[in-house]
Amino acid sequence: MIDLKNASKNTLFPLICRRTKDEYGSVLFEDDPVPTLIGIARLAAQSPTLESKRKVEYLELETRNFIGRASGNQMYFVWTINPYRGCEFGCKYCYARYAHEFMELRDPEQFEQKIYAKRFQAHSFRAELRKIKKGESLWMGTATDPYQPAERRYEISRKILQVLSGQRYLELGITTKSDLVARDIDLLSQIAEKNKVRVHITITTLDGQLARLLEPRAPRPELRLNAVKRLTDAGIPVSVLAHPVMPLINDSEASLDQVCQAAAANGASNFSAAPLFLKPCSQRVFFPFLNEHFPHLVRRYRERYEKNAYLKGHYPEMLKERIAKIKARYPMKTQEEPTWPIDDQLSLYNIK
Ligand code: SF4
């Protein structure tokens, strides 16, 4: 612990040198020059503002590589694409908030308030695609939602699909909570002619009020189900993900059963669910949320998640059995293994 009152300027400056003057420097030392930012933090600081509404600010981010390599050990996919940095949906459990920390944006709320749209150039993206070998899978939306509100305006995900529609032998997965994905059925159908495509739509609950609390600016569950139907009617395979399952919030058999039943009724060909994991950056948002809306659960969540971000032991096993039982009630066209990497999502540190 540093004693701020008595510390010398030389002691403190290394601590602040990678942060913007607005965040720290001007408070500590009025005369200091703006500290030098490096890499993605520098690019983020230089990003021109595209638009600002309510508390959300949209910025444009220069990007050297659009396609990143997934670095976890148990990744189902090899490559990742995230057209935006940050996500306006603002899910209270979001695991991806850490991604803004790479840009020296330490306040976890900034993840949903400062949205960076990556500058897209079709020719560079096409060149990048050459690094993907036949059969290697590519996943869009591992650290942001590619169909969040910014997509209506900037259409970067659509531009990506336009390029992918000219490719072959790719395995493409898209994860979203937005019905906007159905806008791109034309392109997804074209891609599906020469590649494998699957859209994964997250629905954690059918209870609209609970969904609004948990995922404040994401489309309502019925809109997401409608997208499942439109996509599957068009022949695009869809999985419904009930991730994350939060103990005593959306984990009852009745709640999960409702989601699975609705997924099957709307044509989904897979359903999966995995327990919530909470890294420290997510805890900083989730625990105050619990305190406000589920105060009776705070102690139990803290006891479990402060020790370990992942639930171990009985609970994951119980949930696995519950999901298997529910899935058996609603046979889907194909019952594949879950495709989302349940244990290792946070190893996606090589975010592009
Ligand atoms: S949609 Fe995904 S990336 Fe966006 S806030 Fe929710 S969990 Fe995070």
Side-chain angles (χ1 to χ4, degrees):
M1 176 77 80
I2 301 268
D3 176 357
L4 284 178
K5 223 167 140 192
N6 298 315
S8 73
K9 182 171 175 174
N10 286 343
T11 312
L12 282 170
F13 191 73
L15 297 175
I16 62 171
C17 67
R18 296 184 65 227
R19 306 206 171 146
T20 64
K21 187 164 180 166
D22 280 344
E23 280 182 275
Y24 294 103
S26 59
V27 177
L28 293 170
F29 304 115
E30 280 300 331
D31 300 331
D32 277 336
V34 175
T36 307
L37 298 172
I38 56 169
I40 185 69
R42 182 178 57 78
L43 291 173
Q46 293 171 347
S47 297
T49 300
L50 293 172
E51 189 185 349
S52 199
K53 69 165 186 180
R54 288 179 290 124
K55 283 176 98 180
V56 181
E57 190 179 7
Y58 299 108
L59 304 106
E60 187 176 53
L61 185 65
E62 189 73 62
T63 300
R64 292 190 198 98
N65 298 307
F66 239 87
I67 303 175
R69 185 178 267 280
S71 55
N73 298 330
Q74 300 170 39
M75 290 293 112
Y76 178 78
F77 44 87
V78 180
W79 302 98
T80 64
I81 303 178
N82 287 291
Y84 302 92
R85 273 183 176 258
C87 182
E88 196 173 338
F89 287 160
C91 304
K92 298 301 177 187
Y93 50 73
C94 179
Y95 65 85
R97 292 179 192 274
Y98 71 92
H100 261 39
E101 293 180 3
F102 298 154
M103 300 188 295
E104 298 297 331
L105 300 171
R106 302 274 165 186
D107 176 352
E109 300 278 343
Q110 287 179 310
F111 181 75
E112 58 201 75
Q113 292 167 352
K114 267 183 177 287
I115 309 298
Y116 291 84
K118 296 184 183 175
R119 189 173 299 158
F120 182 77
Q121 290 175 316
H123 64 278
S124 320
F125 182 72
R126 207 171 278 116
E128 271 193 74
L129 282 171
R130 287 192 213 116
K131 64 189 175 190
I132 301 179
K133 298 198 187 85
K134 187 175 169 183
E136 287 182 341
S137 55
L138 177 66
W139 205 287
M140 186 148 87
T142 54
T144 184
D145 196 305
Y147 288 97
Q148 60 178 294
E151 174 62 16
R152 285 190 196 279
R153 172 82 42 115
Y154 306 115
E155 296 197 349
I156 300 172
S157 298
R158 184 162 175 86
K159 287 175 193 157
I160 288 169
L161 295 186
Q162 278 164 347
V163 174
L164 294 181
S165 67
Q167 303 294 311
R168 54 174 65 196
Y169 308 131
L170 289 175
E171 288 189 23
L172 175 66
I174 299 175
T175 307
T176 182
K177 285 191 178 82
S178 175
D179 56 324
L180 183 59
V181 63
R183 176 200 66 187
D184 291 342
I185 281 176
D186 57 338
L187 292 171
L188 291 166
S189 300
Q190 280 177 40
I191 294 168
E193 286 171 14
K194 293 180 184 150
N195 307 273
K196 282 191 194 169
V197 185
R198 177 167 284 271
V199 177
H200 304 260
I201 297 192
T202 303
I203 304 175
T204 51
T205 173
L206 292 194
D207 179 335
Q209 281 184 333
L210 179 59
R212 184 58 69 225
L213 284 182
L214 294 167
E215 301 146 359
R217 286 172 293 280
R220 300 190 306 275
E222 65 267 28
L223 293 176
R224 299 182 219 174
L225 280 172
N226 185 256
V228 174
K229 178 154 177 45
R230 288 176 63 197
L231 288 161
T232 54
D233 282 352
I236 311 292
V238 178
S239 298
V240 169
L241 314 178
H243 312 338
V245 176
M246 290 153 271
L248 302 173
I249 294 178
N250 67 336
D251 69 341
S252 72
E253 185 164 336
S255 171
L256 292 166
D257 183 284
Q258 279 178 355
V259 180
C260 186
Q261 184 180 24
N266 285 283
S269 51
N270 198 17
F271 172 78
S272 64
L276 171 73
F277 66 91
L278 275 182
K279 292 278 178 174
C281 67
S282 311
Q283 292 177 13
R284 282 159 61 199
V285 172
F286 195 75
F287 286 160
F289 161 77
L290 277 186
N291 208 30
E292 189 178 348
H293 297 285
F294 300 92
H296 57 293
L297 298 180
V298 171
R299 183 184 56 78
R300 279 192 268 191
Y301 268 75
R302 280 192 180 277
E303 276 171 11
R304 280 153 188 84
Y305 284 106
E306 279 180 349
K307 276 188 241 142
N308 195 326
Y310 296 87
L311 289 179
K312 306 270 183 207
H314 172 71
Y315 190 87
E317 286 307 312
M318 180 278 295
L319 185 62
K320 214 163 143 186
E321 282 171 25
R322 182 171 290 177
I323 296 299
K325 202 161 82 175
I326 292 171
K327 281 174 78 169
R329 290 184 201 132
Y330 308 105
M332 296 182 179
K333 282 178 220 153
T334 54
Q335 291 283 353
E336 301 159 12
E337 288 302 304
T339 48
W340 185 255
I342 287 167
D343 299 325
D344 214 9
Q345 292 178 39
L346 267 179
S347 300
L348 291 166
Y349 274 96
N350 187 15
I351 291 175
K352 295 294 179 189

